[in-house]
Short mmCIF file of all heavy atoms in Angstrom, two decimals:
data_model
loop_
_atom_site.label_atom_id
_atom_site.label_comp_id
_atom_site.label_asym_id
_atom_site.label_seq_id
_atom_site.Cartn_x
_atom_site.Cartn_y
_atom_site.Cartn_z
N LEU A 1 81.43 108.91 12.05
CA LEU A 1 81.44 108.96 10.58
C LEU A 1 80.88 107.67 10.00
O LEU A 1 80.17 107.68 8.98
CB LEU A 1 82.86 109.21 10.08
CG LEU A 1 83.45 110.59 10.40
CD1 LEU A 1 84.90 110.66 9.94
CD2 LEU A 1 82.63 111.70 9.76
N ASP A 2 81.20 106.55 10.64
CA ASP A 2 80.67 105.27 10.19
C ASP A 2 79.15 105.24 10.33
O ASP A 2 78.44 104.73 9.46
CB ASP A 2 81.30 104.14 11.01
CG ASP A 2 80.93 102.77 10.50
OD1 ASP A 2 81.30 102.44 9.36
OD2 ASP A 2 80.27 102.01 11.24
N MET A 3 78.64 105.81 11.43
CA MET A 3 77.20 105.86 11.66
C MET A 3 76.51 106.75 10.63
O MET A 3 75.40 106.46 10.19
CB MET A 3 76.90 106.37 13.08
CG MET A 3 77.36 105.43 14.17
SD MET A 3 77.26 106.21 15.81
CE MET A 3 75.48 106.40 15.99
N ILE A 4 77.16 107.85 10.26
CA ILE A 4 76.54 108.82 9.36
C ILE A 4 76.54 108.34 7.91
O ILE A 4 75.53 108.41 7.20
CB ILE A 4 77.25 110.18 9.46
CG1 ILE A 4 77.07 110.77 10.86
CG2 ILE A 4 76.71 111.16 8.41
CD1 ILE A 4 77.94 111.98 11.14
N PHE A 5 77.69 107.84 7.45
CA PHE A 5 77.84 107.52 6.03
C PHE A 5 77.68 106.05 5.69
O PHE A 5 77.38 105.71 4.55
CB PHE A 5 79.22 108.00 5.55
CG PHE A 5 79.39 109.48 5.63
CD1 PHE A 5 80.23 110.05 6.56
CD2 PHE A 5 78.67 110.32 4.79
CE1 PHE A 5 80.39 111.42 6.65
CE2 PHE A 5 78.81 111.69 4.86
CZ PHE A 5 79.68 112.24 5.80
N MET A 6 77.89 105.15 6.69
CA MET A 6 77.77 103.73 6.42
C MET A 6 77.02 103.03 7.55
O MET A 6 77.57 102.22 8.29
CB MET A 6 79.16 103.09 6.26
CG MET A 6 79.93 103.61 5.07
SD MET A 6 81.59 102.89 4.97
CE MET A 6 82.37 103.66 6.39
N PRO A 7 75.73 103.36 7.72
CA PRO A 7 74.98 102.81 8.85
C PRO A 7 74.80 101.30 8.80
O PRO A 7 74.45 100.69 9.80
CB PRO A 7 73.62 103.52 8.75
CG PRO A 7 73.51 103.91 7.32
CD PRO A 7 74.90 104.22 6.87
N ASP A 8 74.99 100.69 7.64
CA ASP A 8 74.81 99.26 7.53
C ASP A 8 76.11 98.49 7.67
O ASP A 8 76.17 97.30 7.39
CB ASP A 8 74.16 98.91 6.17
CG ASP A 8 72.74 99.44 6.08
OD1 ASP A 8 72.08 99.49 7.13
OD2 ASP A 8 72.32 99.81 4.98
N SER A 9 77.17 99.18 8.08
CA SER A 9 78.44 98.50 8.28
C SER A 9 79.11 99.06 9.51
O SER A 9 78.73 100.11 10.02
CB SER A 9 79.37 98.70 7.08
OG SER A 9 79.70 100.06 6.93
N GLY A 10 80.12 98.34 10.01
CA GLY A 10 80.88 98.87 11.13
C GLY A 10 80.38 98.44 12.47
O GLY A 10 80.22 97.26 12.74
N MET A 11 80.11 99.40 13.39
CA MET A 11 79.91 99.08 14.78
C MET A 11 78.62 98.33 15.05
O MET A 11 78.50 97.64 16.06
CB MET A 11 79.93 100.37 15.62
CG MET A 11 78.82 101.35 15.31
SD MET A 11 78.92 102.85 16.29
CE MET A 11 78.32 102.27 17.86
N PHE A 12 77.61 98.42 14.16
CA PHE A 12 76.35 97.73 14.43
C PHE A 12 76.17 96.52 13.53
O PHE A 12 75.05 96.03 13.36
CB PHE A 12 75.16 98.70 14.26
CG PHE A 12 75.18 99.82 15.23
CD1 PHE A 12 75.14 101.13 14.79
CD2 PHE A 12 75.27 99.58 16.58
CE1 PHE A 12 75.17 102.18 15.69
CE2 PHE A 12 75.31 100.63 17.49
CZ PHE A 12 75.25 101.93 17.04
N THR A 13 77.23 96.05 12.92
CA THR A 13 77.18 94.83 12.13
C THR A 13 78.32 93.92 12.56
O THR A 13 79.22 94.32 13.28
CB THR A 13 77.33 95.13 10.63
OG1 THR A 13 78.55 95.83 10.41
CG2 THR A 13 76.17 95.97 10.12
N LEU A 14 78.25 92.67 12.13
CA LEU A 14 79.24 91.68 12.50
C LEU A 14 80.18 91.40 11.35
O LEU A 14 79.78 91.44 10.19
CB LEU A 14 78.55 90.37 12.92
CG LEU A 14 77.55 90.45 14.09
CD1 LEU A 14 76.94 89.07 14.31
CD2 LEU A 14 78.22 90.94 15.34
N SER A 15 81.42 91.10 11.71
CA SER A 15 82.36 90.64 10.68
C SER A 15 82.00 89.22 10.30
O SER A 15 81.20 88.55 10.98
CB SER A 15 83.79 90.70 11.23
OG SER A 15 83.94 89.75 12.27
N LYS A 16 82.58 88.71 9.22
CA LYS A 16 82.29 87.35 8.79
C LYS A 16 82.68 86.34 9.85
O LYS A 16 81.97 85.36 10.10
CB LYS A 16 83.01 87.05 7.48
CG LYS A 16 82.45 87.82 6.28
CD LYS A 16 83.08 87.36 4.99
CE LYS A 16 82.50 88.13 3.81
NZ LYS A 16 81.05 87.87 3.64
N ASP A 17 83.82 86.56 10.51
CA ASP A 17 84.26 85.65 11.58
C ASP A 17 83.27 85.66 12.74
O ASP A 17 82.97 84.60 13.32
CB ASP A 17 85.65 86.05 12.08
CG ASP A 17 86.74 85.77 11.05
OD1 ASP A 17 86.49 84.94 10.15
OD2 ASP A 17 87.81 86.40 11.14
N GLU A 18 82.77 86.85 13.10
CA GLU A 18 81.81 86.94 14.20
C GLU A 18 80.49 86.28 13.82
O GLU A 18 79.84 85.64 14.67
CB GLU A 18 81.59 88.41 14.57
CG GLU A 18 82.78 89.05 15.26
CD GLU A 18 82.66 90.54 15.37
OE1 GLU A 18 81.86 91.14 14.62
OE2 GLU A 18 83.39 91.13 16.19
N GLU A 19 80.07 86.41 12.57
CA GLU A 19 78.85 85.76 12.12
C GLU A 19 78.98 84.24 12.20
O GLU A 19 78.07 83.54 12.64
CB GLU A 19 78.52 86.19 10.70
CG GLU A 19 78.01 87.62 10.58
CD GLU A 19 77.72 88.01 9.15
OE1 GLU A 19 78.13 87.26 8.24
OE2 GLU A 19 77.09 89.06 8.95
N LEU A 20 80.14 83.73 11.76
CA LEU A 20 80.37 82.29 11.81
C LEU A 20 80.39 81.79 13.24
O LEU A 20 79.83 80.73 13.55
CB LEU A 20 81.69 81.94 11.11
CG LEU A 20 81.71 82.13 9.59
CD1 LEU A 20 83.12 81.91 9.05
CD2 LEU A 20 80.72 81.16 8.92
N GLU A 21 81.02 82.56 14.13
CA GLU A 21 81.07 82.15 15.53
C GLU A 21 79.68 82.16 16.15
O GLU A 21 79.32 81.29 16.94
CB GLU A 21 82.00 83.09 16.31
CG GLU A 21 82.20 82.66 17.76
CD GLU A 21 83.25 83.48 18.48
OE1 GLU A 21 83.77 84.41 17.88
OE2 GLU A 21 83.53 83.16 19.65
N ALA A 22 78.89 83.17 15.81
CA ALA A 22 77.53 83.25 16.34
C ALA A 22 76.68 82.08 15.86
O ALA A 22 75.84 81.55 16.59
CB ALA A 22 76.87 84.57 15.93
N GLU A 23 76.91 81.65 14.61
CA GLU A 23 76.15 80.53 14.08
C GLU A 23 76.55 79.22 14.75
O GLU A 23 75.73 78.33 14.96
CB GLU A 23 76.37 80.43 12.57
CG GLU A 23 75.72 81.57 11.79
CD GLU A 23 76.10 81.52 10.32
OE1 GLU A 23 76.88 80.61 9.94
OE2 GLU A 23 75.62 82.38 9.56
N ARG A 24 77.84 79.09 15.10
CA ARG A 24 78.32 77.84 15.70
C ARG A 24 77.92 77.72 17.16
O ARG A 24 77.75 76.62 17.68
CB ARG A 24 79.85 77.78 15.61
CG ARG A 24 80.39 77.53 14.22
CD ARG A 24 81.85 77.10 14.29
NE ARG A 24 82.67 78.07 14.99
CZ ARG A 24 83.35 79.03 14.37
NH1 ARG A 24 83.30 79.15 13.05
NH2 ARG A 24 84.09 79.87 15.06
N LYS A 25 77.77 78.83 17.84
CA LYS A 25 77.51 78.81 19.27
C LYS A 25 76.03 78.97 19.56
O LYS A 25 75.34 79.79 18.97
CB LYS A 25 78.29 79.93 19.96
CG LYS A 25 79.80 79.78 19.85
CD LYS A 25 80.51 80.97 20.44
CE LYS A 25 80.27 81.10 21.92
NZ LYS A 25 81.05 82.20 22.52
N ASN A 26 75.57 78.16 20.54
CA ASN A 26 74.19 78.33 20.99
C ASN A 26 74.06 79.53 21.89
O ASN A 26 73.03 80.18 21.95
CB ASN A 26 73.73 77.05 21.72
CG ASN A 26 73.60 75.86 20.80
OD1 ASN A 26 73.20 76.02 19.65
ND2 ASN A 26 73.93 74.67 21.28
N ASP A 27 75.12 79.83 22.64
CA ASP A 27 75.11 80.96 23.56
C ASP A 27 75.95 82.09 22.96
O ASP A 27 77.17 82.03 22.94
CB ASP A 27 75.68 80.53 24.91
CG ASP A 27 75.55 81.65 25.95
OD1 ASP A 27 74.95 82.69 25.61
OD2 ASP A 27 76.03 81.46 27.07
N ILE A 28 75.26 83.12 22.49
CA ILE A 28 75.96 84.26 21.88
C ILE A 28 75.99 85.43 22.85
O ILE A 28 76.34 86.54 22.47
CB ILE A 28 75.26 84.70 20.58
CG1 ILE A 28 73.82 85.12 20.89
CG2 ILE A 28 75.31 83.60 19.54
CD1 ILE A 28 73.12 85.80 19.73
N SER A 29 75.63 85.19 24.11
CA SER A 29 75.49 86.29 25.06
C SER A 29 76.81 87.00 25.36
O SER A 29 76.82 88.21 25.60
CB SER A 29 74.86 85.79 26.36
OG SER A 29 75.63 84.73 26.92
N VAL A 30 77.91 86.25 25.35
CA VAL A 30 79.20 86.86 25.67
C VAL A 30 79.81 87.46 24.41
O VAL A 30 80.04 88.66 24.31
CB VAL A 30 80.16 85.84 26.30
CG1 VAL A 30 81.51 86.50 26.61
CG2 VAL A 30 79.56 85.24 27.56
N VAL A 31 80.12 86.59 23.44
CA VAL A 31 80.66 87.01 22.14
C VAL A 31 79.74 86.50 21.06
O VAL A 31 79.41 85.30 21.04
CB VAL A 31 82.09 86.45 21.93
CG1 VAL A 31 82.62 86.85 20.56
CG2 VAL A 31 83.04 86.92 23.02
N PRO A 32 79.24 87.33 20.19
CA PRO A 32 79.62 88.74 20.01
C PRO A 32 78.68 89.74 20.66
O PRO A 32 78.84 90.94 20.45
CB PRO A 32 79.55 88.88 18.49
CG PRO A 32 78.39 88.01 18.12
CD PRO A 32 78.45 86.83 19.06
N LEU A 33 77.69 89.29 21.47
CA LEU A 33 76.64 90.20 21.91
C LEU A 33 77.12 91.18 22.99
O LEU A 33 77.05 92.40 22.80
CB LEU A 33 75.44 89.40 22.42
CG LEU A 33 74.11 90.15 22.51
CD1 LEU A 33 73.77 90.83 21.20
CD2 LEU A 33 72.99 89.20 22.92
N ALA A 34 77.58 90.64 24.15
CA ALA A 34 78.02 91.53 25.23
C ALA A 34 79.17 92.42 24.76
O ALA A 34 79.19 93.62 25.01
CB ALA A 34 78.43 90.72 26.45
N THR A 35 80.11 91.80 24.09
CA THR A 35 81.22 92.52 23.47
C THR A 35 81.62 91.79 22.21
O THR A 35 81.68 90.56 22.22
CB THR A 35 82.43 92.65 24.44
OG1 THR A 35 83.45 93.44 23.84
CG2 THR A 35 82.99 91.29 24.83
N PRO A 36 81.74 92.44 21.08
CA PRO A 36 81.90 93.89 20.93
C PRO A 36 80.63 94.64 20.55
O PRO A 36 80.71 95.84 20.31
CB PRO A 36 82.89 93.97 19.78
CG PRO A 36 82.52 92.83 18.90
CD PRO A 36 82.10 91.73 19.83
N ILE A 37 79.45 93.98 20.49
CA ILE A 37 78.26 94.68 20.01
C ILE A 37 77.78 95.73 21.01
O ILE A 37 77.55 96.89 20.65
CB ILE A 37 77.15 93.67 19.68
CG1 ILE A 37 77.54 92.82 18.46
CG2 ILE A 37 75.84 94.41 19.39
CD1 ILE A 37 76.52 91.76 18.11
N ILE A 38 77.58 95.33 22.28
CA ILE A 38 77.07 96.28 23.27
C ILE A 38 78.21 97.10 23.86
O ILE A 38 78.25 98.32 23.73
CB ILE A 38 76.30 95.54 24.38
CG1 ILE A 38 75.15 94.72 23.80
CG2 ILE A 38 75.76 96.55 25.40
CD1 ILE A 38 74.45 93.85 24.82
N ALA A 39 79.12 96.44 24.54
CA ALA A 39 80.27 97.12 25.14
C ALA A 39 81.46 97.05 24.18
O ALA A 39 82.39 96.27 24.40
CB ALA A 39 80.61 96.49 26.49
N GLY A 40 81.40 97.84 23.15
CA GLY A 40 82.47 97.87 22.16
C GLY A 40 83.52 98.90 22.52
O GLY A 40 83.42 99.60 23.55
N PRO A 41 84.54 99.05 21.68
CA PRO A 41 85.61 100.03 21.95
C PRO A 41 85.08 101.45 22.11
O PRO A 41 85.58 102.21 22.95
CB PRO A 41 86.50 99.91 20.71
CG PRO A 41 86.24 98.54 20.17
CD PRO A 41 84.79 98.27 20.46
N GLY A 42 84.09 101.82 21.30
CA GLY A 42 83.54 103.18 21.40
C GLY A 42 82.89 103.44 22.74
O GLY A 42 83.11 104.49 23.36
N ALA A 43 82.09 102.47 23.22
CA ALA A 43 81.43 102.63 24.51
C ALA A 43 82.44 102.64 25.65
O ALA A 43 82.33 103.44 26.58
CB ALA A 43 80.41 101.51 24.72
N MET A 44 83.45 101.75 25.58
CA MET A 44 84.48 101.72 26.62
C MET A 44 85.25 103.04 26.66
O MET A 44 85.44 103.62 27.74
CB MET A 44 85.45 100.57 26.36
CG MET A 44 84.83 99.19 26.45
SD MET A 44 86.05 97.91 26.05
CE MET A 44 84.98 96.49 25.74
#
């Protein structure tokens, strides 16, 4: 339902905390990229 009605929010976007963490870290490969973006709750 999130994909159908709100494609610009939810599973394929980052929360504000995740955005801040991504900006602070040079290596984003683990968080938030590997999880929760790729291997998120839905995929698991």
Side-chain angles (χ1 to χ4, degrees):
L1 292 176
D2 187 64
M3 294 170 67
I4 296 169
F5 296 110
M6 296 178 290
D8 293 328
S9 64
M11 63 181 284
F12 297 125
T13 57
L14 301 178
S15 66
K16 291 187 179 296
D17 290 339
E18 289 169 341
E19 287 179 348
L20 290 173
E21 185 172 4
E23 290 174 358
R24 288 196 303 265
K25 296 175 64 176
N26 292 325
D27 186 4
I28 61 170
S29 56
V30 180
V31 178
L33 198 53
T35 184
I37 292 178
I38 303 173
M44 295 178 196

